[in-house]
């Protein structure tokens, strides 16, 4: 195993003086996260569920770029839209909160439909 094989990420979250508002830090980057209004939180900033989904979408865009570069595919632009639905009246499991469904939509520019399909398939294998 090489150093490139191991990636060690550390993120911290801490409470603030506002109930339900959290300051998240990763390296020297900071983000305000609010719990949803349904929990009695401000709901003004991005919520934890949205941060999670944003991470998946950002990973998708970044991986598509990496895969395209590796495969010499002329990807000019990539967009990933993601939607997660959590229906508390129909829990997937009773012991943890899980999304009932998550759907990703990929929009790729500068590539043929076949190249786009191959890139998305390669992303799914990662």
């Amino acid at each position: 195993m090489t150093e490139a094989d191991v990636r060690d990420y550390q993120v911290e979250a801490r409470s603030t003086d506002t109930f339900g508002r959290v300051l998240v830090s990763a390296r020297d980057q900071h983000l305000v996260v609010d719990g949803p209004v349904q929990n009695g939180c401000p709901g003004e900033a991005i919520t934890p569920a949205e941060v999670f989904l944003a991470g998946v979408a950002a990973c998708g865009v970044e991986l598509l770029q990496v895969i395209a570069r590796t495969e010499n595919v002329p990807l000019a632009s990539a967009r990933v839209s993601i939607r997660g639905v959590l229906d508390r009246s129909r829990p997937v499991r009773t012991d943890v909160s899980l999304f009932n469904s998550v759907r990703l939509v990929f929009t790729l520019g500068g590539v043929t439909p076949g190249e786009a399909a191959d890139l998305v398939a390669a992303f799914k294998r990662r």
Side-chain angles (χ1 to χ4, degrees):
M1 192 177 332
T2 68
E3 189 173 309
D5 293 328
V6 178
R7 297 175 188 179
D8 185 6
Y9 302 100
Q10 182 172 339
V11 176
E12 295 182 1
R14 69 172 180 83
S15 60
T16 65
D17 292 338
T18 301
F19 175 82
R21 179 157 289 158
V22 178
L23 180 63
V24 177
S25 299
R27 295 175 291 124
D28 63 347
Q29 303 298 304
H30 309 286
L31 175 66
V32 174
V33 176
D34 278 357
V37 294
Q38 296 91 333
N39 291 351
C41 302
E44 296 168 353
I46 192 168
T47 66
E50 292 166 330
V51 170
F52 175 81
L53 294 172
V56 174
C59 181
V61 170
E62 184 266 337
L63 277 177
L64 287 169
Q65 291 176 320
V66 169
I67 294 165
R69 182 177 61 191
T70 302
E71 301 295 324
N72 292 316
V73 176
L75 180 64
S77 63
R79 176 183 299 176
V80 175
S81 175
I82 188 168
R83 179 176 183 208
V85 176
L86 193 152
D87 182 351
R88 294 199 182 276
S89 70
R90 295 181 27 237
V92 177
R93 288 177 43 183
T94 57
D95 57 330
V96 294
S97 292
L98 297 172
F99 287 104
N100 296 73
S101 65
V102 176
R103 178 179 167 92
L104 287 88
V105 176
F106 297 83
T107 306
L108 307 181
V111 295
T112 67
E115 289 170 327
D118 290 345
L119 287 171
V120 172
F123 165 77
K124 290 179 179 180
R125 289 190 300 270
R126 299 291 288 265

